[in-house]
Amino acid sequence: MKGTVLNMDLDQHIDLVMESLMQTYDLRVFEGGDPYRVLIRTILSQRTRDENTDRASAQLFSQYHTMTEIASADPTRLEPLIRPAGFYRVKAQRIVEVSKKLLEEFKGQVPDDIKNLLKLPGVGRKTANCVLVYGFQKPAIPVDVHVHRISNRLGLVKTKTPEETEVELEKIVPKEYWIELNDLMVQFGQTICRPQSPRHEECPLQDICDYYQTIKNYDLKDE
């Protein structure tokens, strides 16, 4: 990539970011794209690492296969299965409550709209948007710590919270990119644009990254 952030418009900047990430990473499918399993997995993923979520989700669904089974389970029986995900007592209680509410108020169907998803216990915007994207393939922008950090580092937005980042990204990112954005940025944030010690030397976006350009210019001044 040639050029810098300073000599391109925002649309071009977004296109270059997304095209580069799509060339670097393969999109993933979680829980076979099943909306209910995606929902439960996303609840398990809160405040933990992907590998822990993978273990907890696999162990849970190896023993409890359906929404009805989880809704009727004693949460203490689920705790050992989801322990790798951390906060397992709270999460066990929550996934039982969510499963019951789905059966009682939504006829056993996961809603495919954000308004009703947000009615589920403990489900915030990030979780709801993950269900829309990974469970229904509907355009939404789930914003976690990776998406928030990377969007600001690249200079796409200047925001202080993930909630603000979601609002701003929805204004500027073409809808054709919404489904892919979260997965690509999460993988990028886990492998290269890490919170600490980002791997600038391996970054395919360094030429169009505000954060890198600032660091580079600062280093040049020191010389």
Side-chain angles (χ1 to χ4, degrees), residues 29-151:
V29 176
F30 297 102
E31 304 299 340
D34 177 85
Y36 174 66
R37 292 196 173 203
V38 168
L39 170 60
I40 298 305
R41 176 192 172 85
T42 308
I43 292 171
L44 292 174
S45 75
Q46 294 168 2
R47 299 175 68 182
T48 193
R49 300 169 70 89
D50 275 1
E51 56 265 33
N52 297 331
T53 304
D54 291 341
R55 283 184 58 204
S57 182
Q59 290 178 176
L60 174 66
F61 289 122
S62 71
Q63 299 295 317
Y64 294 85
H65 305 103
T66 68
M67 185 188 301
T68 301
E69 289 178 358
I70 291 179
S72 60
D74 183 333
T76 61
R77 302 293 296 272
L78 306 184
E79 291 173 5
L81 300 172
I82 66 171
R83 192 181 186 108
F87 304 96
Y88 55 91
R89 291 190 180 91
V90 173
K91 291 178 180 179
Q93 186 68 41
R94 184 160 295 162
I95 63 179
V96 169
E97 291 174 354
V98 164
S99 301
K100 286 180 177 177
K101 192 174 183 73
L102 287 171
L103 288 170
E104 293 168 359
E105 298 186 25
F106 295 96
K107 300 180 180 179
Q109 298 296 315
V110 177
D112 63 354
D113 64 282
I114 193 145
K115 179 180 177 181
N116 282 310
L117 283 167
L118 292 174
K119 293 178 181 179
L120 299 173
V123 171
R125 292 195 64 86
K126 188 203 83 169
T127 297
N129 283 330
C130 279
V131 173
L132 294 177
V133 167
Y134 297 111
F136 292 104
Q137 286 292 294
K138 285 193 165 188
I141 303 181
V143 176
D144 60 5
V145 292
H146 295 294
V147 175
H148 175 59
R149 177 179 73 255
I150 292 164
S151 298

